[in-house]
Amino acid sequence: MQKIGAVFTDAPAIEDGMACGIDKPLLLSALKDGVKVEPPATVRCETALQLARWMEGSVAPALSTAMPGETINQLAQASAYVCRNRNNAETGRISEHAFGNAIDIAGFTLKSGKTITIRPADKDPSLEGAFQRAITEAACLYFTTVLDPGSDAAHENHLHLDVKERRGGYRYCW
Ligand SMILES: [Zn+2]
């Protein structure tokens, strides 16, 4: 994790009842090149690692292609560890957020101060729309679940990324 430029502190184990919790949580506050994670995110190491790889390997290059001269200063996370069911439902399956496996990305702030907000972009003809589609597709190389604003109303304003392990290594990305 240090090798890839992440800035984090080890946090005490979380045990929250139900099945929620993380044995060895990290509080991730920044990624390579000083990209701030705002607010700092409580996640498992694997989640932080894949986030760092996605940002460096796909998001940063896509941004510098789409908007030459720009870099990312800050990543806005909308949810990391939280003890809850999927989609905040009263019943049903426990969210991957409750195991530290998931992070929700709301957008980015760039060096110039411009902000990029995750929004429905399936038919967005702008360069920003193309950027969002590119990083969403690329996220499936790093994360096993990718849900975007095209998935359902619950994901209209963020990308849900998680590292849930499935039999056969299946990925769920759409
Ligand atoms: Zn989520």
Side-chain angles (χ1 to χ4, degrees):
M1 285 287 290
Q2 282 96 343
K3 253 195 305 193
I4 55 172
V7 180
F8 62 92
T9 53
D10 294 318
I14 302 170
E15 247 187 279
D16 250 351
M18 290 174 42
C20 301
I22 314 177
D23 281 345
K24 291 188 174 139
L26 301 180
L27 186 64
L28 179 68
S29 54
L31 298 166
K32 198 175 181 216
D33 300 328
V35 176
K36 269 178 69 183
V37 177
E38 188 57 41
T42 301
V43 288
R44 275 180 58 223
C45 181
E46 177 68 11
T47 314
L49 188 60
Q50 297 307 331
L51 180 69
R53 287 178 172 156
W54 174 62
M55 288 291 291
E56 182 184 4
S58 294
V59 179
L63 182 80
S64 64
T65 303
M67 299 171 202
E70 280 284 26
T71 53
I72 295 171
N73 264 15
Q74 189 167 304
L75 174 156
Q77 65 97 356
S79 180
Y81 172 77
V82 54
C83 185
R84 64 166 171 82
N85 286 327
R86 286 193 192 168
N87 298 337
N88 290 309
E90 296 255 327
T91 57
R93 300 178 77 169
I94 292 180
S95 166
E96 290 302 309
H97 285 279
F99 309 123
N101 283 342
I103 188 157
D104 291 347
I105 309 299
F108 308 95
T109 304
L110 309 184
K111 186 174 70 179
S112 65
K114 179 183 165 61
T115 57
I116 294 180
T117 303
I118 301 298
R119 57 201 156 80
D122 283 358
K123 297 198 168 71
D124 183 336
S126 70
L127 198 52
E128 202 175 307
F131 167 75
Q132 185 181 310
R133 290 191 298 273
I135 64 168
T136 302
E137 284 296 325
C140 203
L141 300 171
Y142 307 87
F143 293 93
T144 55
T145 311
V146 178
L147 300 172
D148 79 342
S151 308
D152 57 43
H155 297 89
E156 210 161 51
N157 58 2
H158 65 272
L159 294 178
H160 167 99
L161 308 173
D162 76 49
V163 296
K164 177 186 170 71
E165 280 182 36
R166 294 190 185 82
R167 212 181 309 165
Y170 289 122
R171 286 172 185 244
Y172 185 97
C173 302
W174 56 67

